[in-house]
Every structure is written in C-alpha cells, then in structure tokens.
Amino acid sequence: MEGLSNPLIAELIATEECYINTLNKVVSGYMVEYFNEISKIPVPEDLKKYDADSIFGNITEIHDWHKNYFLEALKDNSDSFPGLSKVFIQNKSQFDMYQKYISNIPISNYLIEKYINYFDQIQKMLKQKNSIKDFIRAPAQRICRFKMLLNEIVKQLTNKNLVEDANCIKEALTMIENCFYELDKIPCFTDLTKFDGILLAQGKLLHCGSLMCTYNGKLRQLYVFIFRRLILFTKRKQHKYSSIYKSYLQIPINMLELKELNNSTFSLQVTDPNKPKYSIICESNAEDLYTKWIQIIKQQIE
C-alpha cells in the first residue's frame, strides 16, 4: 500500500487540514467576535435582527465534524484504498449538512455584503489577509475538490492496472459526484425572475424539487421551493450551464391548508381572506419524496 507516499493521498489529507484551518478562521474568529458582548466592534443594530445561522449557516457543524472525525479517519486509512473509500461511503449522510449550508449562502452573502464594513473591521482586528467572503465560499469549493482528487486517484490506479483499488475509489467518487449534483441543484436566486416581493425576507430555504401541479385546470411540471414563510412555484428553463427560474405562483405559509390525497398527491388550498379561495394539486413521483414534502409543509404550517 502506498499510503502518504502517494502524492494524491498526501494532497487529500493536506488540503483537508487546510480546509479545517479556513473554517476555523470563521468559527474561532468572526463568530467569537460576533458573540462577544464586550467587543470593541459592536454588532450593527439592524444585523441583530438576524440569527447567527442566517449569517454563518451551519459552518460550526461542518468544521467540528471534519476536525474531530473526518480528518482522523482519512489519516487512519491513508494506507488502504478500500479503507479510504469506506470513509467517504460510510459518512454519506454527514455530507447532507452541506445542502443546508449551500441553501443558506444567498442570505449569508446578502448580509455580509450589506454589513461589509463591520466584517472588514473584524478582519483588520484579526489581522487576516483574506476577507470573510473567501472563507464563506470554502465549503462549496471543498466538495468540488474532493471530486477532483478522487477522480485523479481513480485515473492513477487504473493506469497502474490496480483494478480492485480503482473500483473501490470509484464508489467513493460516485457518492461525492451525487452529493455535488444535489448541491448544484440548489439554485442561485439571482436567476429567479418575475418574483413579487423580497425573497430574502422569506426565511431559509427548507426544501426544493419538481412536482406535477394542477392549477386553474392546467397540469404542468413546476419547480417548487419551500421557505419558512412562503411556498414558491416556478417554471424552470434549463440552459447549458445553469437554470433560469420564473416565478409562477406564491403561497404564504400562514395562508395555507394542506390536504393529503391518494397516490402521492396532496392539495394546497390558499385561505387569504382578501381573495377568493383557490387550490393547487401537487403530485410527487416517488412515495419517499412525497413523505418529505408533506412532513416539511406540515412543520411550517404548525
């Protein structure tokens, strides 16, 4: 076994250590200062209206898991390609925390940009070369780096005719590629048009996906987003490198009634006292996805 003598495995572990250090600059730097009640750099009053999760997302959760578990697991299995692969595959569910983080990025970017003078002051106090914007982007970049490094390891093993080892790493690569694909589906909301209102005021994005929807007697496939305060139905057009979302229907959570129907179908009825009642029937293409839609909508209504 090649272990750390393999430059690609050495790079995997070295970049993991660098990544943890980058996250730590936020967790032990900006966040500590943000929560410091006697700080010489007071938090702007308007910024206090938002919780810390809106600004920093779940970056502490990501940092702690990589530092306390994932890095050590990579090191412990650095001399075994099957072992290295298992580290990724057995922790598939842990990578779900990245979906939560990426979903929050539009709100995080908005708040950091709006109060950049505050964060710049902290940067100067911490004597850091890079800005908080660079650190906030790190989690999204890390998944891409995993994908690239695992792909290079597969190529290297294949060229050396180490078929069994190559197949093991391919399994880890497939898992990371699926994770990358799921993250890539979370839209950049600068590509949303015809939306009536302030999207950032609708709270965190909790879930999104395609549903077959019947509204005004017409059946069509819509891409639906559930925020804390709003369900947004959109028409999605796929371009070569991105998707464009056009707002089709908006339903405030506090004016919503949910009815579960048959065959993975549910009805959303709007109860706005200032408008006639109307409903939209939604159908999921799988039972497990249907259950997730119902669960999230019920939680928000309650």
Side-chain angles (χ1 to χ4, degrees):
M1 297 297 178
E2 297 175 85
L4 289 175
S5 62
N6 183 309
L8 289 175
I9 296 180
E11 183 180 357
L12 176 65
I13 292 174
T15 55
E16 181 71 3
E17 291 173 334
C18 183
Y19 174 55
I20 292 169
N21 184 54
T22 297
L23 299 183
N24 189 59
K25 293 182 186 301
V26 177
V27 174
S28 299
Y30 287 91
M31 293 186 71
V32 167
E33 195 59 29
Y34 175 82
F35 288 112
N36 183 2
E37 294 181 357
I38 58 173
S39 172
K40 294 180 180 179
I41 307 173
V43 179
E45 286 300 318
D46 287 348
L47 186 56
K48 291 180 182 178
K49 297 176 184 177
Y50 300 88
D51 57 28
D53 286 350
S54 296
I55 305 168
F56 305 106
N58 58 327
I59 198 167
T60 300
E61 178 187 19
I62 295 173
H63 168 269
D64 292 350
W65 179 71
H66 280 269
K67 178 183 178 182
N68 299 330
Y69 175 77
F70 196 65
L71 173 61
E72 296 307 314
L74 290 177
K75 287 181 177 179
D76 290 344
N77 291 275
S78 62
D79 61 348
S80 167
F81 290 111
L84 200 66
S85 180
K86 284 183 180 179
V87 172
F88 283 91
I89 295 168
Q90 291 177 349
N91 288 282
K92 178 182 177 181
S93 62
Q94 294 294 333
F95 283 91
D96 289 346
M97 68 179 77
Y98 279 87
Q99 292 193 30
K100 181 178 178 181
Y101 184 84
I102 299 300
S103 296
N104 187 70
I105 280 182
I107 298 174
S108 178
N109 286 343
Y110 169 78
L111 293 175
I112 289 172
E113 190 63 42
K114 185 175 181 179
Y115 300 99
I116 192 62
N117 290 337
Y118 166 70
F119 292 106
D120 282 348
Q121 289 180 63
I122 296 178
Q123 179 186 347
K124 290 178 182 177
M125 186 199 69
L126 297 174
K127 297 180 180 179
Q128 293 178 349
K129 182 179 178 181
N130 295 328
S131 75
I132 188 174
K133 294 179 183 178
D134 299 315
F135 302 140
I136 289 295
R137 285 194 292 264
Q141 296 169 339
R142 186 57 183 160
I143 298 299
C144 187
R145 190 69 175 272
F146 278 140
K147 181 171 171 282
M148 181 195 75
L149 285 171
L150 291 175
N151 189 51
E152 288 301 314
I153 292 173
V154 169
K155 288 181 180 178
Q156 184 186 79
L157 294 172
T158 301
N159 290 337
K160 292 182 177 181
N161 203 30
L162 299 172
V163 179
E164 289 187 13
D165 286 339
N167 288 337
C168 285
I169 299 298
K170 276 183 182 179
E171 292 181 21
L173 175 60
T174 298
M175 189 277 286
I176 286 295
E177 285 177 335
N178 290 337
C179 177
F180 181 83
Y181 172 74
E182 290 299 319
L183 295 177
D184 195 49
K185 287 199 301 183
I186 299 174
C188 172
F189 290 115
T190 55
D191 292 334
L192 175 65
T193 63
K194 304 294 183 181
F195 178 74
D196 181 20
I198 301 173
L199 192 60
L200 292 171
Q202 308 310 321
K204 289 183 180 179
L205 175 63
L206 304 173
H207 187 54
C208 60
S210 293
L211 290 171
M212 293 304 299
C213 302
T214 302
Y215 175 64
N216 279 347
K218 294 181 179 179
L219 175 66
R220 64 179 73 207
Q221 185 175 43
L222 299 175
Y223 202 85
V224 185
F225 303 96
I226 303 179
F227 297 91
R228 280 183 175 172
R229 302 182 184 91
L230 182 80
I231 295 183
L232 175 63
F233 295 82
T234 68
K235 298 176 184 178
R236 179 170 66 169
K237 288 188 177 180
Q238 188 68 44
H239 292 263
K240 186 174 182 181
Y241 298 111
S242 63
S243 297
I244 302 296
Y245 301 84
K246 181 180 178 181
S247 178
Y248 177 73
L249 186 66
Q250 306 165 35
I251 305 178
I253 295 291
N254 63 351
M255 296 181 181
L256 187 66
E257 288 183 359
L258 169 67
K259 289 185 179 180
E260 296 183 57
L261 307 175
N262 297 323
N263 301 321
S264 299
T265 303
F266 59 92
S267 171
L268 298 175
Q269 186 172 62
V270 181
T271 59
D272 187 341
N274 300 315
K275 297 179 181 178
K277 283 189 176 182
Y278 65 89
S279 63
I280 181 167
I281 297 174
C282 308
E283 181 180 352
S284 175
N285 58 8
E287 181 66 29
D288 58 336
L289 296 176
Y290 167 79
T291 302
K292 188 169 186 179
W293 282 103
I294 293 295
Q295 180 183 19
I296 293 173
I297 294 172
K298 277 185 176 179
Q299 287 174 348
Q300 295 314 299
I301 291 176
E302 291 170 359

